[in-house]
Amino acid sequence: MSGILDGKRILITGVLMESSIAFHTAKVAQEQGAQVILTAFPRPTLTERIARKLPEPAKVIELDVTNDEHLDRLAGLVRDELGSLDGVVHSIGFAPQDALGGNFLNTPFESVATAMHVSAFSLKSLAMACKPLMSDGGSIVGLTFDAQYAWPQYDWMGPAKAALEATSRYLARDLGKDGLRCNLVSAGPLRSMAAKSIPGFSELADVWNHRSPLAWDMNDPEPAGRGVVALLSDFFPKTTGEIIHVDGGVHMMGA
Ligand SMILES: NC(=O)c1ccc[n+]([C@@H]2O[C@H](COP(=O)([O-])OP(=O)(O)OC[C@H]3O[C@@H](n4cnc5c(N)ncnc54)[C@H](O)[C@@H]3O)[C@@H](O)[C@H]2O)c1
């Protein structure tokens, strides 16, 4: 059976639990013919345990995306395993507790800086760490939560996602000449670990119960994973700096 990622080699960050968008991305990518390599934070053992639930075995490499040593050694480790890459998935987000849940006006800059470093600047770090492996071009795909709006409880993750969205456009601008595309999937709310760390996440997610034209299931990350796989495939060959909404349609509803 042929798949839309046949013959492609894809690096996927962010597999932590079965509820991770990255886990479903890896699953669909393998089903569509890709060879997948995973990166892990905070511990490879956690990711290795979840990776056993994938249809095919996948090698796991430790990567804290804020650690320059980890970033410097990444290309060598991936080259030993796969030779080169056709795609990279950034499925990483984090903000300290005092940057979330209604503390926007009092969050110290240190916490804002951490959110920006892990959630936005890291897209550039990951892209540049993997660039030497994509000399024939390729596709970089990240995950955002619509940063056009001020959401309840989301607080400094909002500006961090706005920075991620802008970073993706600047990467698309600067890497286009190397045949590299950079796009984001803007997903609706999903009950992952990252979501559980946001106090009052249900209040935010409740918007989808009232406004989503398509029925939205917060326990099903597969539609987001499928969107990522589509952007990794050859079916968006001239699309870059774009944000594809996989949110049931909420982004375009006026009321
Ligand atoms: N869950 C949602 O409602 C939702 C909606 C839209 C977008 N997103 C985005 O999707 C992406 C994946 O989140 P998820 O919902 O699958 O949750 P998740 O908790 O399963 O994934 C978040 C990942 O970030 C990783 N991470 C955190 N700090 C890191 C670091 N320093 N270095 C490397 N990795 C690090 C974690 O290990 C984890 O795998 C995030 O960018 C998130 O903001 C999530």
Side-chain angles (χ1 to χ4, degrees):
M1 211 184 77
S2 67
I4 62 170
L5 295 187
D6 268 349
K8 294 211 184 289
R9 286 160 285 198
I10 311 287
L11 178 136
I12 300 179
T13 64
V15 174
L16 183 63
M17 311 285 281
E18 254 184 283
S19 56
S20 296
I21 298 171
F23 174 81
H24 293 266
T25 303
K27 179 173 162 284
V28 175
Q30 287 184 341
E31 287 165 359
Q32 292 298 321
Q35 253 181 294
V36 168
I37 193 159
L38 303 175
T39 71
F41 175 87
R43 280 189 306 283
T45 45
L46 286 176
T47 300
E48 277 159 5
R49 197 171 66 213
I50 303 298
R52 279 187 218 118
K53 300 182 187 226
L54 288 170
E56 307 285 337
K59 166 105 176 154
V60 175
I61 297 174
E62 185 181 15
L63 176 69
D64 174 348
V65 87
T66 63
N67 182 319
D68 287 338
E69 280 167 37
H70 288 189
L71 288 162
D72 288 346
R73 73 181 185 205
L74 182 65
L77 292 172
V78 176
R79 188 176 280 117
D80 291 346
E81 204 60 33
L82 294 182
S84 64
L85 285 175
D86 304 290
V88 174
V89 177
H90 179 284
S91 191
I92 296 170
F94 173 76
Q97 279 298 297
D98 60 0
L100 297 164
N103 195 39
F104 187 82
L105 298 177
N106 300 307
T107 304
F109 179 67
E110 203 184 10
S111 299
V112 174
T114 300
M116 292 283 173
H117 194 181
V118 179
S119 312
F121 183 75
S122 63
L123 181 66
K124 194 278 308 181
S125 310
L126 182 68
M128 290 309 284
C130 294
K131 185 169 175 281
L133 299 165
M134 295 193 285
S135 49
D136 293 333
S139 172
I140 301 160
V141 185
L143 271 309
T144 190
F145 186 69
D146 202 335
Q148 293 181 81
Y149 304 102
W151 298 103
Q153 316 298 338
Y154 204 53
D155 292 4
W156 284 97
M157 270 309 284
K161 287 302 192 191
L164 177 78
E165 293 178 7
T167 302
S168 175
R169 287 187 286 270
Y170 279 80
L171 285 172
R173 181 195 71 178
D174 286 356
L175 298 176
K177 64 177 183 320
D178 301 304
L180 291 168
R181 294 171 281 136
C182 189
N183 295 290
L184 300 177
V185 163
S186 183
L190 295 161
R191 280 192 219 283
S192 61
M193 278 295 277
K196 282 181 192 143
S197 73
I198 303 171
F201 175 78
S202 316
E203 187 191 332
L204 166 59
D206 195 41
V207 173
W208 266 254
N209 294 328
H210 306 292
R211 296 180 72 165
S212 186
L214 298 171
W216 183 256
D217 181 357
M218 272 177 277
N219 297 308
D220 184 11
E222 187 166 317
R226 285 184 168 263
V228 174
V229 165
L231 285 166
L232 290 168
S233 80
D234 292 333
F235 286 87
F236 281 100
K238 297 296 172 192
T239 298
T240 196
E242 186 61 275
I243 300 175
I244 305 281
H245 293 84
V246 180
D247 69 342
V250 166
H251 70 98
M252 58 79 199
M253 293 293 282

